Each structure stands twice: as structure tokens, then as C-alpha cells.
Amino acid sequence: MFSDAEAPSNFPNTFTGFELFASAGFATVIPDFIGYGVSKDVVHPYYDMALSGTVVVDMINAVKYYLKNQNTAISNRLFLVGYSEGGYVTMAAQKEIETHTEHQLTVTAAAEGAGGYDLQEMLKGIATTATYPDPSFLALLMQSYNTTYSWNRPYTDFFKEPYATKITTLLNGTKDGDAINAELTTSMTALFNPTFYSNLSNASGEPVLKQALTNNSFPNWVPKSPTRLYHGTADEAVFYSTTQTTYNRFKAAGATNVELFPIPNGTHGTSVEPMMLNALPWIQLLDK
């Protein structure tokens, strides 16, 4: 999401779709990410693993505290579900919980869809494609890292004009993704500073950016809880290979509870429904 109006806390004026889990009998927790809701004046830390995970954990613990004070009983079974950036955030929350026992939480199962978990693989795809349909994602990523990690580089380091000077205004929370895309370009050579774009394919180019991407790609961790990864094989926005390489790495590192569910010919928009039609019955089966 890009606009402040899309924040889950604006319900019922906004609808994520995950509210449907409540109608299936689950206490359903849908946090605003940092940069939305009450924190809308903070730049959203898009694809920062630690900040993505803790925002979910904090909300789970807040809801558990609230329900306890309301004398509302819930089980300790905890299911994590997310798609697209939400898939990445879900995996980040799973890692945060599984590697920090002080949270006193246990993941029962996690369903993660099209999350772009291998950011170096995503970068490789961007560097080798002529056009990309969602340049808003790329603008958000560069704004996130440039601000969150205090690089403070001019946007002309990354983007050509007239796009460089537009980035801050386009991402000020008043526009949705479609409106932002309309003011950018799908041509990668027209969008990116040529030196920057060339460096994406150069092994020694942009080392700080590439290290940040590696650090946020779940290094040195494999899921312990039952985990299902979903991804459309024709995803034009978050490349299918990012899930395949992540799954392969998990299996090579000894993961025994991870399954991959490719969605044949699924695009980024059409793969949500098949994922949910598979994930919900699985979660209901484990909710015992």
C-alpha cells in the first residue's frame, strides 16, 4: 500500500481481505505497518526485515493484553498469513518469533505468498528486464533504504529526471500505487540513472545497497514452524524465482516443515485467491 487511507486501522473505510479470517472464527490481528496510521509521518521501512517483524509481534502482544483485560479467552495457537509485502512481513514476524523466545509466542503455522524474500534475486530480475510494471515498488524501496539507513543520497543517484525530483511527493501518502505508477515509467533505462542501473549488474557496483538487500533476505535462518510458500509462476511484479530460491535454500539448510505451492500461470493479482483457498482449510485443520 502507498496511501495513508489504505491503512488497516481505517476499517471499515478500507478492507485488506484478511478480515475474512474473523468471519471464520479467528481473533484476527491486522497491524498498520510503520509509516501508516499513527506513524504516518515516518518513512515506511519497506523490506527492512527487523522492523517488519517487530511491528507484527508488537500488535499480537497488544491484542493479547487487550483481550486478557476484556476477559476474552483465546487459544495460544498462532497463525501468520500474508501476501506480497505482507508475505515478506509475515516471514519476518515468523523469524522474529522463532529466534527471540522473550516474546513468549509460538507460531503454529505460517502461510506466505509472493513476498520477494530473496531481494538479491529480485534485484537480478530488475537489472535484466527492459520493462517493469510497478515502478512504484522500486521508488518505495529506494526511499525506504535511503532514509531508514541514513544514506541520505540525492535521488538523482538512483533515478533520472524528471522522476528523481518527484519521488518524495509521489510517496507522501496521498496517492495509491496506480497513481504513482502513472507518473513514473515502466522502462528501466528511462527510470534509472544509467550509472546506477549499470551497477546493479556489476558484481562490485552499489555494494552498500546489495549488502542491505542481503541482510534483509533472511540469511542464516530456516523456519521451524510448519510453513507454506505460495507464488504465481507468471508473477510480473514479484518474480517467482524469489520464492523458488528461498525455498531451495531452506531445504538445503535442513528445513523439514516448509512446502512450496506454485500457482500455475498466476500473476501478482490473480494468485491471492488460490493461495487463500489452500491456506484457510490448512489452518482450520491445524486449529485443534
Side-chain angles (χ1 to χ4, degrees):
M1 66 181 63
F2 292 87
S3 73
D4 296 335
E6 295 174 286
S9 57
N10 289 322
F11 181 85
N13 295 323
T14 187
F15 183 72
T16 69
F18 293 100
E19 293 86 353
L20 296 172
F21 280 93
S23 68
F26 294 93
T28 303
V29 181
I30 310 173
D32 288 342
F33 296 159
I34 295 170
Y36 302 93
V38 296
S39 65
K40 65 184 178 65
D41 293 330
V42 177
V43 170
H44 172 50
Y46 189 52
Y47 280 100
D48 177 274
M49 185 174 62
L51 294 173
S52 295
T54 53
V55 74
V56 176
V57 171
D58 289 347
M59 179 94 174
I60 291 169
N61 283 326
V63 169
K64 290 185 72 172
Y65 177 83
Y66 170 78
L67 292 177
K68 182 179 180 180
N69 285 346
Q70 296 294 310
N71 295 314
T72 300
I74 56 171
S75 78
N76 283 323
R77 292 184 293 277
L78 174 61
F79 301 97
L80 302 177
V81 185
Y83 186 81
S84 192
E85 183 188 1
Y88 177 88
V89 170
T90 297
M91 186 176 285
Q94 181 180 2
K95 177 181 182 293
E96 178 69 22
I97 292 168
E98 291 185 354
T99 56
H100 292 87
T101 57
E102 65 269 23
H103 294 310
Q104 298 184 305
L105 297 170
T106 300
V107 177
T108 307
E112 296 147 355
Y117 326 98
D118 184 345
L119 297 174
Q120 282 279 32
E121 180 68 18
M122 186 70 193
L123 182 72
K124 188 191 304 180
I126 294 296
T128 56
T129 188
T131 61
Y132 179 71
D134 289 292
S136 54
F137 292 177
L138 307 177
L140 189 63
L141 178 66
M142 296 316 302
Q143 184 200 52
S144 165
Y145 281 19
N146 198 40
T147 305
T148 303
Y149 304 138
S150 301
W151 297 345
N152 300 320
R153 293 170 62 178
Y155 285 111
T156 48
D157 278 8
F158 313 121
F159 301 103
K160 284 183 178 178
E161 295 292 9
Y163 309 112
T165 55
K166 289 185 176 183
I167 298 300
T168 302
T169 301
L170 290 177
L171 299 176
N172 67 4
T174 63
K175 299 180 184 296
D176 64 16
D178 288 341
I180 295 168
N181 284 335
E183 295 203 38
L184 296 173
T185 175
T186 59
S187 167
M188 296 297 90
T189 54
L191 179 68
F192 284 124
N193 174 310
T195 301
F196 175 75
Y197 192 52
S198 174
N199 279 334
L200 297 184
S201 302
N202 182 338
S204 61
E206 290 291 334
V208 176
L209 169 62
K210 291 174 181 175
Q211 186 60 55
L213 294 172
T214 298
N215 293 345
N216 287 305
S217 295
F218 304 94
N220 308 313
W221 173 77
V222 296
K224 299 174 185 174
S225 321
T227 302
R228 288 189 174 184
L229 303 178
Y230 300 86
H231 209 139
T233 60
D235 194 322
E236 74 293 351
V238 180
F239 307 128
Y240 174 78
S241 61
T242 60
T243 293
Q244 185 70 62
T245 57
T246 300
Y247 172 76
N248 292 347
R249 183 175 65 77
F250 286 162
K251 296 300 285 186
T256 58
N257 277 337
V258 179
E259 298 176 277
L260 173 60
F261 288 80
I263 299 168
N265 301 314
T267 66
H268 201 63
T270 65
S271 297
V272 184
E273 182 177 348
M275 171 186 164
M276 293 305 169
L277 289 174
N278 180 285
L280 180 56
W282 177 58
I283 288 170
Q284 289 173 317
L285 186 67
L286 294 175
D287 187 31
K288 306 179 174 176

